[in-house]
Amino acid sequence: VQYLKDGVNLVTFPEGTRSRDGRRGPFKKGAFKMAEAVNAPIVPMTIGYAHKVQPLDFIFPVRRSRSIPATIHFGEAIDTAGKKDEEVMEAVWNEIAADLPESQKPLEGTPKAVN
């Protein structure tokens, strides 16, 4: 949290792990709590097809000879000041899910967060 107070930008992956099929999973609250503690904005970043570039069982990314249509999209900063966990997580979740390829969008019923 001190790094955030000092103005350092941190990259976190709120799911805490990668999925085998690339579908969005539930967020964990830790990164959101850190940002909210110091009123740091959150910039949602969507990485499309990351599971194909860096499969779960690979130590290194796949070889360059494979053509993989990976994409990265940066959303608008989401202010955390005065907002509750659920409100911030929902805004980030929706921003990221909107920019995912259809094959990676969360399945209906996927919880947005777990403790």
Side-chain angles (χ1 to χ4, degrees):
V1 174
Q2 186 61 46
Y3 285 122
L4 289 172
K5 285 182 185 176
D6 293 342
V8 174
N9 295 316
L10 297 178
V11 175
T12 64
F13 295 89
E15 291 172 287
T17 189
R18 293 178 286 152
S19 67
R20 289 204 175 276
D21 63 1
R23 288 226 182 249
R24 161 82 40 228
F27 288 164
K28 295 186 176 159
K29 296 181 180 183
F32 298 95
K33 290 198 175 289
M34 288 190 312
E36 292 163 11
V38 296
N39 295 325
I42 296 174
V43 178
M45 182 174 74
T46 306
I47 305 174
Y49 302 107
H51 66 295
K52 293 185 182 227
V53 174
Q54 180 78 40
L56 196 57
D57 298 331
F58 283 46
I59 295 172
F60 299 105
V62 295
R63 292 185 354 197
R64 298 181 93 184
S65 62
R66 288 182 61 194
S67 177
I68 299 170
T71 59
I72 299 176
H73 178 268
F74 293 91
E76 294 294 320
I78 295 172
D79 188 27
T80 62
K83 296 182 181 173
K84 297 183 180 198
D85 291 347
E86 294 75 22
E87 185 180 357
V88 174
M89 284 190 293
E90 176 130 5
V92 173
W93 172 280
N94 290 339
E95 177 77 27
I96 290 173
D99 293 319
L100 282 170
E102 204 56 45
S103 64
Q104 290 186 265
K105 292 188 184 289
L107 295 172
E108 191 171 325
T110 300
K112 292 187 176 157
V114 295
N115 291 330

